[in-house]
Amino acid sequence: MAAIKILVGSVYGGSVEVAEKAQELAQQRGHQVELSEDPDLGFIQGDASLLVVTSTTGSGDLPDGLQAFSQQLESQPVSLAGRSYAVIALGDASYGDSFCAAGKNLDAQLADLGAEPLLPMLTIDALEYFEPVEGAGEWIESWLSKLP
């Protein structure tokens, strides 16, 4: 079974609910899962697969809990070659170009450090799903089927 680290960035709690659902489903399948709402570089050490679940705030910014992590990746780049990852981004399409920008930026940052995406990023639009967790179930199942 896989080791999984879930990194969560949330403003109003929707990302936490989605992350906890992913954690629950992964644990039901026997995976070892750790979740952090305030991760740092130490949290991602090792060879665990990474799952990022984040909302977007402001003008496309990461929530505070992930902002410091992203800044650490930028100032102290680490090789993530051979690591798998996936991103779930929550946003509101009415914000145009900044829709899910936080997730898109972190997705690009992880790829630039050599991590390999297991699936294309899932974007969950608040205009479509009042409860973000409703838009994630099928994608989470697909992600779980691709874990080593």
Side-chain angles (χ1 to χ4, degrees):
M1 297 285 93
I4 302 165
K5 304 275 181 120
I6 302 177
L7 297 80
V8 185
S10 192
V11 177
Y12 299 113
S15 296
V16 173
E17 289 177 24
V18 172
E20 287 174 345
K21 182 66 172 179
Q23 179 181 32
E24 174 188 336
L25 292 172
Q27 288 174 331
Q28 286 174 0
R29 286 161 182 76
H31 298 295
Q32 179 184 7
V33 185
E34 290 182 64
L35 186 147
S36 177
E37 293 181 54
D38 191 25
D40 59 17
L41 290 180
F43 181 71
I44 65 164
Q45 285 185 342
D47 60 356
S49 184
L50 306 176
L51 175 62
V52 176
V53 184
T54 187
S55 59
T56 299
T57 187
S59 299
D61 302 318
L62 284 163
D64 290 342
L66 282 179
Q67 198 166 66
F69 172 75
S70 177
Q71 290 169 348
Q72 283 181 328
L73 283 178
E74 192 172 310
S75 65
Q76 305 167 35
V78 295
S79 173
L80 296 176
R83 299 283 294 274
S84 64
Y85 79 96
V87 177
I88 299 174
L90 284 66
D92 183 326
S94 68
Y95 283 84
D97 289 343
S98 66
F99 173 63
C100 292
K104 291 174 184 174
N105 292 337
L106 201 47
D107 182 49
Q109 195 172 20
L110 293 172
D112 287 347
L113 293 171
E116 300 285 332
L118 284 177
L119 287 174
M121 181 178 69
L122 172 65
T123 57
I124 300 175
D125 185 358
L127 297 177
E128 187 175 348
Y129 295 100
F130 181 71
E131 296 292 334
V133 74
E134 294 173 7
E138 188 175 310
W139 187 95
I140 291 170
E141 292 292 345
S142 182
W143 166 71
L144 287 169
S145 73
K146 293 186 179 298
L147 288 169

